[in-house]
């Protein structure tokens, strides 16, 4: 049972890192078209994912 939970946590962590990177790249690409834009830090996406995972 513990092995299953650790594998689930590992796959969830890998998915979080991949999703944060892809979403950051998509946001950067999308925001380039605007005249007034802000820079989005990478850590904001990871922090949101970690907070979401800790909430469960």
């Amino acid at each position: 049972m513990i092995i299953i939970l650790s594998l689930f946590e590992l796959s969830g962590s890998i998915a979080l890192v991949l999703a944060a990177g892809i979403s950051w790249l998509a946001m950067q690409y999308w925001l380039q078209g605007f005249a007034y834009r802000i820079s989005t830090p990478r850590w904001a996406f990871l922090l949101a994912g970690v907070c979401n995972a800790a909430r469960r």
Side-chain angles (χ1 to χ4, degrees), residues 9-35:
E9 290 174 359
L10 177 65
S11 63
S13 299
I14 291 171
L16 171 66
V17 170
L18 289 175
I22 292 169
S23 62
W24 180 80
L25 285 172
M27 287 289 295
Q28 291 299 318
Y29 179 74
W30 180 62
L31 289 173
Q32 285 179 357
F34 291 97

Side-chain angles (χ1 to χ4, degrees), residues 47-56:
L47 180 64
V50 169
C51 289
N52 190 25
R55 185 179 63 158
R56 295 176 188 222

Side-chain angles (χ1 to χ4, degrees), residues 35-49:
Y36 300 104
R37 59 178 174 241
I38 60 170
S39 62
T40 51
R42 294 178 186 167
W43 59 266
F45 290 94
L46 290 174
L47 180 64

